[in-house]
Amino acid sequence: MTWRAATRDDLDTYYSDEFPDYVDDLPSFITATGPKQYALAFDHPHPVRKDEVPDKDFIRRDTWQTDTAGERQQAEFDGFDDVLDFIQHPARNDPLDGSEFALADPGLLDQPDPRPDAVYYALDNWERPWVLLVDIDAKTIARERAADALPQDTSHRDDEALLEATGILDADPTGYPYAFEDIDQAIEYGFEVRDIFADDFDAEETMVVYSGQGVHVYLLDTDLAHRYDAQSREVLNDLLLESYDIPIDPVVTADRRRVARLPYSLHVDVSRIVQPIESPQFNPRTATPAFLD
């Protein structure tokens, strides 16, 4: 199994031909107007209409216009077809159309219409409490594995030197800051976290999502007592990190402003489809888009 980055043509093909078939499979809380924002990352900065504003390689777009009190007034997307149009052609279908802060019309520029390198949605949600997501990254696992393999103190060594010294950069997939075994370990950790949610929190609605270079684990039950507020999330972080020794990113769990990769979007660095998975034996080969077949 090899990894390779998706090209601009790959992205165009995927979001035009493949991604629309997955829209009906999105989790129920990911709707056109449920998440408070959608966000896109580009491989190259794209100009905005206002001359003095820097070009943008990452944009967030609110799903609702709000009043000064933060109350919803008018939806920016009438349905998910509008979100899909925005993903496929961000500059032509920018929700900020009419504003000088919208992306510049590619028809008036020398550079092409931008394509999203990554598609995200906001964990903060209008229709339900703040979505609880735990992020487990193969890069973190590889870094910790490399540090454990060396007898000397590695705290002052940069990650690349550490990974090179332990052979991880040369292991498949060559040149990436992890090996395939680190991806497999991330997936195993993800299902361990799901079991912890079920056993320690009596969770009934959970989801593990292969993120391309790790996993996202969701706890989707409604916590009536705390609604999984900031304090309860810090307790959860401590539990997973200290009691269970699972290498999560605690910032993702605790930061209300975080965005997450949209399920069924494409992870451009590895050309793999972000998707819910049902087993720790999941094989990333099965997340291959059609343009690689």
Side-chain angles (χ1 to χ4, degrees):
M1 176 171 49
T2 59
W3 253 213
R4 77 160 175 84
T7 67
R8 177 183 169 82
D9 287 343
D10 292 337
L11 291 168
D12 191 25
T13 297
Y14 182 75
Y15 286 111
S16 296
D17 299 342
E18 295 186 57
F19 179 72
D21 293 336
Y22 290 115
V23 167
D24 289 341
D25 297 326
L26 287 169
S28 60
F29 60 90
I30 302 179
T31 63
T33 55
K36 292 190 175 181
Q37 292 180 326
Y38 282 96
L40 304 177
F42 306 126
D43 63 340
H44 291 95
H46 189 81
V48 298
R49 295 177 183 177
K50 187 175 176 63
D51 290 339
E52 295 81 8
V53 176
D55 296 355
K56 302 293 184 183
D57 60 7
F58 181 82
I59 60 171
R60 292 175 180 255
R61 294 296 182 260
D62 294 338
T63 57
W64 286 86
Q65 295 178 16
T66 58
D67 60 20
T68 55
E71 296 297 323
R72 288 177 283 180
Q73 298 297 308
Q74 181 176 338
E76 294 286 6
F77 302 107
D78 290 334
F80 207 86
D81 283 347
D82 287 348
V83 179
L84 181 59
D85 289 342
F86 172 55
I87 292 170
Q88 291 172 334
H89 299 286
R92 298 177 190 169
N93 300 291
D94 193 337
L96 289 182
D97 186 37
S99 165
E100 58 186 358
F101 295 101
L103 295 174
D105 183 349
L108 304 177
L109 305 172
D110 293 331
Q111 61 189 88
D113 190 11
R115 293 288 185 271
D117 263 17
V119 181
Y120 303 97
Y121 73 97
L123 296 178
D124 209 0
N125 194 287
W126 285 109
E127 308 297 340
R128 54 172 294 128
W130 175 18
V131 177
L132 197 159
L133 178 151
V134 170
D135 180 33
I136 304 172
D137 196 321
K139 295 189 291 293
T140 302
I141 294 170
R143 207 277 179 203
E144 292 187 358
R145 182 164 67 89
D148 290 342
L150 296 177
Q152 67 271 33
D153 179 18
T154 61
S155 59
H156 299 297
R157 299 186 68 166
D158 66 71
D159 286 357
E160 184 172 357
L162 190 60
L163 297 175
E164 187 172 12
T166 52
I168 292 176
L169 282 181
D170 294 326
D172 286 336
T174 306
Y176 284 82
Y178 52 78
F180 283 128
E181 66 181 271
D182 301 306
I183 293 278
D184 294 338
Q185 182 62 70
I187 292 171
E188 289 184 20
Y189 277 138
F191 282 91
E192 184 177 343
V193 171
R194 188 185 71 168
D195 290 342
I196 292 168
F197 286 164
D199 295 340
D200 291 12
F201 295 87
D202 296 323
E204 296 180 356
E205 190 178 1
T206 58
M207 181 171 63
V208 181
V209 172
Y210 166 64
S211 63
Q213 298 184 119
V215 292
H216 296 157
V217 191
Y218 290 80
L219 199 171
L220 297 169
D221 292 7
T222 299
D223 173 21
L224 297 178
H226 304 290
R227 297 173 68 84
Y228 291 115
D229 59 10
Q231 184 175 1
S232 61
R233 288 163 186 263
E234 293 292 353
V235 172
L236 174 61
N237 278 339
D238 291 344
L239 176 71
L240 295 177
L241 285 166
E242 298 175 10
S243 298
Y244 288 101
D245 199 27
I246 296 176
I248 69 169
D249 182 343
V251 177
V252 173
T253 310
D255 184 358
R256 195 179 196 104
R257 285 275 299 167
R258 297 295 289 202
V259 295
R261 287 185 183 273
L262 183 69
Y264 304 107
S265 64
L266 191 71
H267 195 302
V268 68
D269 291 340
V270 296
S271 294
R272 289 298 183 271
I273 301 171
V274 176
Q275 60 186 264
I277 59 177
E278 299 297 331
S279 166
Q281 280 73 52
F282 172 77
N283 184 346
R285 287 184 180 89
T286 64
T288 305
F291 64 73
L292 287 182
D293 291 342

